Amino acid sequence: MGDGPRQRGSAATGSSADVAADSGKDTGDSGVALKKEIGLVSACGIIVGNIIGSGIFVSPKGVLENASSVGLALIVWIVTGVITAIGALCYAELGVTIPKSGGDYSYVKDIFGGLAGFLRLWIAVLVIYPTNQAVIALTFSNYILQPLFPTCFPPEKGLSLLAAVCLLLLTWVNCASVRWATRVQDIFTAGKLLALVLIIIMGVVQICKGEYYWLEPVNAFEPFQKYDVGQIALAFLQGSFAYGGWNFLNYVTEELVDPYVNLPRAIFISIPLVTFVYVFANIAYVTAMSPQELLASNAVAVTFGEKLLGVMSWIMPISVALSTFGGVNGSLFTSSRLFFAGAREGHLPSLLAMIHVKRCTPIPALLFTCLSTLVMLCTSDMYTLINYVGFINYLFYGVTVAGQIVLRIKQPDIHRPIKISLVWPVIYLLFWAFLLIFSLYSEPLVCGTGLAIMLTGVPVYFLGVYWDNKPQCFNTFVGMSAICITGVMASVSQVWCKV
């Protein structure tokens, strides 16, 4: 682990050296900090681009399967969007009260202490981000290659190779320039929204033709299986997965231009937009497919396109590929900032807190993120891992929002540029209590395994972070390793950014 929570490094020889960042100040001293280059449009692109990934295109059937009827499934999508907006408002207050990169990790650490923050970081580093990025990259490669293999599945090695190329290309873009990375996000966010607009327009055309049987109340709420509270909770959990990424802008707060203004504005624009798109895309799906057809499909948007677009059905696989390409970029951009923030606080090796002198990008953190994701591409059981940690991921959302109430009590007079009513975090916590309790009841093994994975970080924290008086030989080994790796990393970053 890190040999100190906040080290400032001096520039090494050569223009491509990396230096240890300070606490994120964008001042004119000798420190090198992340630049404020993310405006309102790019901020909206980060939120929308991270929320809208492959989920809305390929797996809305998870919500329908657990909701047991079309009408309740649509209600789940709407309510989940509202709860997401409430959570984002709570995060907005925390984001401008504790204006650090790292998002909920930084908030949990500052409010509840180092162990809680480390466990949030541990589960993110160990499984959440590597597996999430690997799955998105594999989905990208699957839908790029699918048109080339119309009668069979694409070869697994081809999928992994193309996914690796996608990751390497986007890592290079993120290492080279923050501006390039945000432009990629903006372009592909626009592309995926255009694809969803096409789906919605086709749905409107279907309704105008009288194809709205499953939208009539008497049919919409006709259950195809018995309603169950535990299953409904899982429907909300599935919907929440589709909305995942709403908190990613908080990971890059230090790089926002005028964060006090642009952070809440980006939330107010992005979350309602995503909710509108999700609800109407699902309405469009049921104008062309019955619930049984939707449940039988593993790629709902592709099936939808085949039924309505005919020879132009290839548009849907390409749309999914565009969506997931932007999703990989957004996840790389934000997760690298989380690892950067953790290293800066001494919870990860200090190497990951280094940024490029001229480009002001966290190249070591980006390369670490890329490498860990490439390793996960060799793992065949990623989806089970995601199920295990999904419960913990959303548990920490609740812990973070509870931290907002704790901070109000502990520090009532702290400067809060944005201050919302405590009614909102209470509503959010009540929803998540319902969600997590019934999810634990319905899937005790999956949720329990997620808890176990998280708790493996406790001994690591006490041995690597909390234990100050380590033997001199241990500190010497860590220091020499850091020097060697720093030299290699500086050389790699110099070549990487000149390619």
Side-chain angles (χ1 to χ4, degrees):
M1 296 299 158
D3 51 359
R6 296 177 185 271
Q7 291 185 344
R8 184 194 301 273
S10 58
T13 305
S15 61
S16 297
D18 293 319
V19 298
D22 63 2
S23 60
K25 297 177 181 177
D26 193 16
T27 59
D29 62 13
S30 59
V32 179
L34 299 170
K35 288 184 178 181
K36 293 183 177 292
E37 293 187 348
I38 303 176
L40 178 59
V41 174
S42 293
C44 292
I46 288 172
I47 295 177
V48 175
N50 277 287
I51 293 178
I52 302 177
S54 59
I56 189 58
F57 291 111
V58 298
S59 59
K61 75 173 188 178
V63 174
L64 178 61
E65 184 176 17
N66 290 292
S68 301
S69 70
V70 171
L72 187 55
L74 293 176
I75 290 174
V76 167
W77 285 107
I78 295 170
V79 172
T80 306
V82 172
I83 294 297
T84 298
I86 293 173
L89 284 176
C90 298
Y91 269 60
E93 178 180 318
L94 288 169
V96 296
T97 305
I98 307 174
K100 295 180 179 179
S101 290
D104 38 20
Y105 157 71
S106 295
Y107 313 147
V108 170
K109 181 188 68 65
D110 285 2
I111 297 170
F112 294 109
L115 177 59
F118 179 81
L119 291 178
R120 177 69 181 99
L121 183 66
W122 175 254
I123 200 71
V125 170
L126 193 65
V127 180
I128 292 175
Y129 284 105
T131 53
N132 185 54
Q133 287 162 184
V135 169
I136 298 174
L138 285 169
T139 305
F140 163 80
S141 59
N142 185 50
Y143 280 89
I144 284 289
L145 294 178
Q146 189 62 57
L148 303 179
F149 297 87
T151 59
C152 62
F153 294 110
E156 289 189 9
K157 290 184 179 179
L159 291 173
S160 298
L161 181 60
L162 185 56
V165 170
C166 169
L167 284 165
L168 291 169
L169 173 62
L170 288 173
T171 300
W172 173 76
V173 170
N174 278 268
C175 287
S177 170
V178 172
R179 194 176 299 277
W180 288 8
T182 56
R183 290 295 177 269
V184 168
Q185 195 66 30
D186 295 345
I187 292 169
F188 281 90
T189 296
K192 72 178 69 176
L193 284 176
L194 287 174
L196 286 167
V197 167
L198 176 61
I199 291 174
I200 293 170
I201 290 174
M202 288 191 294
V204 172
V205 172
Q206 285 287 97
I207 291 173
C208 292
K209 290 180 178 179
E211 301 290 341
Y212 50 79
Y213 176 84
W214 292 106
L215 297 176
E216 296 176 350
V218 65
N219 301 316
F221 290 95
E222 179 183 349
F224 49 81
Q225 63 186 14
K226 187 178 179 180
Y227 288 122
D228 179 80
V229 175
Q231 293 295 316
I232 293 172
L234 292 178
F236 277 109
L237 191 59
Q238 292 282 340
S240 298
F241 279 127
Y243 281 96
W246 56 266
N247 62 323
F248 277 20
L249 188 61
N250 291 69
Y251 289 170
V252 295
T253 304
E254 293 176 25
E255 296 169 81
L256 274 177
V257 177
D258 197 1
Y260 296 166
V261 175
N262 286 331
L263 181 58
R265 282 184 180 176
I267 290 169
F268 293 146
I269 293 170
S270 302
I271 304 297
L273 174 62
V274 171
T275 303
F276 173 86
V277 168
Y278 273 16
V279 171
F280 281 88
N282 278 275
I283 289 174
Y285 288 148
V286 296
T287 63
M289 293 179 284
S290 68
Q292 290 72 26
E293 288 177 312
L294 196 150
L295 292 174
S297 173
N298 287 323
V300 177
V302 175
T303 305
F304 179 82
E306 289 173 350
K307 291 179 74 73
L308 298 183
L309 292 177
V311 294
M312 299 297 290
S313 60
W314 56 268
I315 291 176
M316 282 302 138
I318 298 301
S319 299
V320 175
L322 290 174
S323 175
T324 50
F325 190 82
V328 173
N329 180 72
S331 186
L332 279 171
F333 186 86
T334 52
S335 61
S336 64
R337 269 59 177 183
L338 172 62
F339 300 160
F340 167 83
R344 193 176 60 187
E345 298 296 336
H347 285 176
L348 288 175
S350 56
L351 171 68
L352 298 180
M354 296 180 179
I355 62 177
H356 195 275
V357 173
K358 291 187 176 181
R359 299 178 186 277
C360 293
T361 54
I363 292 178
L366 282 162
L367 294 180
F368 172 80
T369 305
C370 179
L371 180 62
S372 61
T373 306
L374 289 173
V375 170
M376 295 308 298
L377 286 176
C378 302
T379 305
S380 60
D381 204 17
M382 291 180 298
Y383 296 96
T384 301
L385 288 173
I386 291 173
N387 288 334
Y388 287 156
V389 300
F391 174 84
I392 300 302
N393 201 21
Y394 287 92
L395 173 63
F396 270 104
Y397 288 164
V399 170
T400 305
V401 172
Q404 180 186 12
I405 299 175
V406 172
L407 194 62
R408 288 279 190 95
I409 297 171
K410 290 172 61 176
Q411 300 185 46
D413 299 324
I414 193 174
H415 177 57
R416 292 179 172 86
I418 299 173
K419 188 174 183 179
I420 66 172
S421 170
L422 286 180
V423 171
W424 300 117
V426 169
I427 292 174
Y428 188 88
L429 290 173
L430 289 173
F431 172 79
W432 281 115
F434 156 78
L435 186 68
L436 295 178
I437 289 171
F438 281 100
S439 297
L440 185 60
Y441 170 77
S442 300
E443 295 284 352
L445 180 61
V446 169
C447 298
T449 305
L451 283 169
I453 293 174
M454 181 194 71
L455 292 176
T456 59
V458 174
V460 176
Y461 172 79
F462 282 104
L463 289 174
V465 179
Y466 186 80
W467 183 22
D468 287 330
N469 299 319
K470 299 180 180 73
Q472 184 60 40
C473 59
F474 179 86
N475 291 328
T476 302
F477 173 76
V478 172
M480 292 300 295
S481 300
I483 291 172
C484 294
I485 297 174
T486 301
V488 173
M489 195 69 74
S491 301
V492 171
S493 64
Q494 183 172 3
V495 174
W496 189 265
C497 293
K498 286 184 177 180
V499 173

